[in-house]
Amino acid sequence: MERQKHFVLVHGAGHGAWCWYKVATLLKAAGHKVTALDMAALGLHPKRVEELRDISDYFEPLMEFMKSLPPEERVILVGHSMGGLCNSAAMERFPEKISCAVFAAAIMPGPDLSFTAIREE
């Protein structure tokens, strides 16, 4: 039997973790671990949009989650729409904790256009 994978599902702008319910159900039924996160000020996250100073505040829940992972755990990030920007930031900050990332109709910064470069612009 294939080893269990841990999928981290990151929603797009205007959504919440709720939007992954069908995908999460299928992945869990296949024996995988699934974490669907609410980004700041969306879904059930308690932060209000007025409290967000910049884009890094928006994806802070993902950064906190990645920080909390045990050193040996590697996840598969799946981002939709603006979730791709969140994926990119996590990949730059936590490369050792990510086995791969999936960009589903998502913003996808590249080698010449990293999240850091976008933020500096």
Side-chain angles (χ1 to χ4, degrees), residues 77-96:
L77 287 179
V78 181
H80 170 253
S81 185
M82 195 162 142
L85 190 58
C86 302
N87 278 5
S88 180
M91 291 168 70
E92 288 181 28
R93 189 161 173 199
F94 302 100
E96 72 287 352

Side-chain angles (χ1 to χ4, degrees), residues 22-93:
K22 287 184 180 181
V23 172
T25 300
L26 291 169
L27 289 169
K28 288 175 185 176
H32 299 293
K33 182 175 179 180
V34 177
T35 302
L37 299 169
D38 282 315
M39 294 301 102
L42 289 170
L44 296 176
H45 194 279
K47 192 169 266 190
R48 296 171 38 108
V49 72
E50 296 85 13
E51 298 175 75
L52 304 180
R53 296 166 311 195
D54 62 28
I55 192 67
S56 61
D57 288 344
Y58 171 76
F59 54 72
E60 182 182 359
L62 176 59
M63 298 302 121
E64 291 299 317
F65 175 79
M66 295 300 295
K67 250 192 286 189
S68 75
L69 289 172
E72 69 283 352
E73 186 167 357
R74 294 171 54 95
V75 299
I76 298 170
L77 287 179
V78 181
H80 170 253
S81 185
M82 195 162 142
L85 190 58
C86 302
N87 278 5
S88 180
M91 291 168 70
E92 288 181 28
R93 189 161 173 199

